Amino acid sequence: MLLRKSGSFKSIIRSSEITPQQTVKDFQQDRRRFLTQTAALGAGLVAAAHVPSIFDPAQVEAAQAASSRYTVNETQTPILKAATYNNFYEFGTDKSEPARNAHTLKTRPWTVQVDGLVKKPLTLDVDTIIKYRPMENRVYRHRCVEAWSMVIPWDGYSLSEFINLCEPLPSAKYVQFITLLDKKQMPDLPGGYDWPYSEGLRLDEAMNPLALLTFGFYGTFLPNQNGAPIRVVLPWKYGFKSAKSIVKFQFTDKQPRTLWNEIAPREYGFYSNVNPTVDHPRWSQAKERRIDTGAFPHSIPTLPFNGYADQVAGLYAGMDLKKNF
Ligand code: MTE
């Protein structure tokens, strides 16, 4: 992403100074592994080198067994890489900073507002949303606009199920995701950005079953740096559309503002569907560096819609995808 380094970022802190992640008390009763692994991941991030041994491979395998028809059969990115190489600018613009800094994010209590063109505005506790529908484990390709990619097993349910609960009015054409802004919890919030982070989708895109309302990954809770306690994952779009730590769903009849599109509209379009034929003005999008189990990322061709064309291309029938990038 556009990088605006200010000198104010926290200097590198020692891992021993990081407090363990907050324990998620009430995920889903039938997902006991979530509870048993919570402490393990918290400890794992303090002493990151210990994560693989702390994680019970059988538990992780069980999580994978519950996968859905949307799962891709590609080598998964190890959890340690997915939880330590992040974009979450509220906690620093360097990829390694969110894992070190996001322990200041307080994920309980956490309320989510539903507002705008809906039958009735709602304020919901995140645990109510978590329990609303059974979760699926879906292994998705995760393609960042910066041309790196991962393969991550996410836990959640289709965003469409939550949108149905929100009861948008027929006049609602878009949904905007507004994420947490709290300077107390984000003491090194970078300047030069119009916070809070926000993203949005056309409502028909949001209703596509691939769009995942996400609460966990690898069969365990989402670490703060990956967007706890609630985020969206939109695997056919560049990663920046997948807003983290959401506090509000706003239904509108006009295309909502989105942070990156506002900062650099020529670089970050509203749609931002993964498209190997539309380059970013500063780099090619034809290939990506896949981060998986190898010592180094390896280069692979990028697929239209990140390989999900069968499920989503119809949403854009008749649109010029070079103009509407
Ligand atoms: N959400 C918020 N609130 N703040 C952010 O900076 N970064 C986005 C997206 N969601 C971002 C965000 C970008 S650029 C990417 S690539 C993905 O989160 C990264 O998700 P990951 O760290 O889980 O891989």
Side-chain angles (χ1 to χ4, degrees):
M1 307 299 293
L2 202 70
L3 224 69
R4 296 187 186 189
K5 277 260 182 197
S6 90
S8 66
F9 300 130
K10 200 182 248 179
S11 56
I12 295 174
I13 53 171
R14 274 181 289 127
S15 58
S16 58
E17 289 165 0
I18 300 172
T19 51
Q21 304 257 331
Q22 190 203 359
T23 303
V24 178
K25 291 193 196 81
D26 197 17
F27 194 71
Q28 265 201 322
Q29 277 161 1
D30 62 341
R31 290 167 63 89
R32 251 175 289 145
R33 67 174 184 277
F34 190 92
L35 294 171
T36 52
Q37 289 184 343
T38 297
L41 185 60
L45 289 171
V46 173
H50 295 149
V51 167
S53 56
I54 289 168
F55 260 84
D56 176 354
Q59 299 266 16
V60 174
E61 215 171 284
Q64 287 165 4
S67 66
S68 83
R69 67 197 168 105
Y70 298 110
T71 280
V72 295
N73 189 17
E74 289 170 22
T75 305
Q76 290 182 23
T77 303
I79 186 171
L80 189 55
K81 292 185 184 175
T84 56
Y85 189 81
N86 302 102
N87 278 329
F88 199 164
Y89 272 37
E90 292 89 323
F91 296 100
T93 57
D94 188 86
K95 301 278 176 290
S96 62
E97 285 181 306
R100 287 202 302 270
N101 298 338
H103 60 91
T104 53
L105 175 67
K106 201 169 162 272
T107 60
R108 293 294 188 285
W110 188 281
T111 49
V112 174
Q113 264 181 284
V114 174
D115 212 346
L117 298 173
V118 285
K119 205 164 158 192
K120 191 167 158 268
L122 298 170
T123 301
L124 298 165
D125 187 89
V126 73
D127 290 307
T128 308
I129 302 174
I130 284 171
K131 284 187 220 139
Y132 176 62
R133 282 283 183 266
M135 279 192 223
E136 280 177 25
N137 179 269
R138 296 187 187 176
V139 183
Y140 277 166
R141 296 181 200 102
H142 183 55
R143 170 62 157 84
C144 182
V145 74
E146 296 157 332
W148 52 267
S149 66
M150 298 189 184
V151 176
I152 299 182
W154 302 101
D155 296 301
Y157 55 77
S158 285
L159 177 61
S160 63
E161 307 216 40
F162 178 69
I163 290 179
N164 288 335
L165 169 76
C166 299
E167 297 190 289
L169 298 174
S171 53
K173 300 286 177 258
Y174 296 88
V175 57
Q176 184 184 24
F177 315 114
I178 299 166
T179 81
L180 183 74
L181 170 59
D182 181 351
K183 289 186 181 160
K184 277 199 214 99
Q185 296 180 60
M186 300 161 176
D188 295 318
L189 191 74
Y193 298 88
D194 191 8
W195 305 111
Y197 195 95
S198 68
E199 260 307 333
L201 295 174
R202 244 174 31 200
L203 205 49
D204 60 336
E205 299 181 285
M207 293 300 284
N208 186 282
L210 271 183
L212 192 70
L213 191 62
T214 306
F215 313 101
F217 75 172
Y218 299 87
T220 188
F221 77 110
L222 271 185
N224 290 355
Q225 62 271 25
N226 291 87
I230 175 170
R231 69 175 290 176
V232 285
V233 176
L234 311 163
W236 71 101
K237 292 185 178 278
Y238 292 120
F240 69 89
K241 298 294 292 180
S242 297
K244 294 174 165 180
S245 305
I246 297 170
V247 291
K248 190 170 180 180
F249 292 81
Q250 177 86 20
F251 291 84
T252 64
D253 54 1
K254 294 191 183 59
Q255 187 175 301
R257 70 164 285 266
T258 68
L259 183 132
W260 284 110
N261 182 240
E262 228 168 51
I263 290 178
R266 285 187 52 256
E267 304 197 8
Y268 309 108
F270 176 79
Y271 284 94
S272 281
N273 294 315
V274 174
N275 190 340
T277 67
V278 176
D279 287 339
H280 185 280
R282 289 182 281 138
W283 59 81
S284 163
Q285 295 290 22
K287 289 186 178 167
E288 63 203 57
R289 294 179 308 282
R290 173 63 57 83
I291 301 169
D292 56 24
T293 50
F296 300 104
H298 56 103
S299 179
I300 55 170
T302 287
L303 301 171
F305 299 105
N306 205 19
Y308 297 97
D310 286 355
Q311 290 100 315
V312 297
L315 290 167
Y316 311 101
M319 278 175 72
D320 180 342
L321 295 179
K322 294 207 160 139
K323 268 194 201 142
N324 299 285
F325 61 91

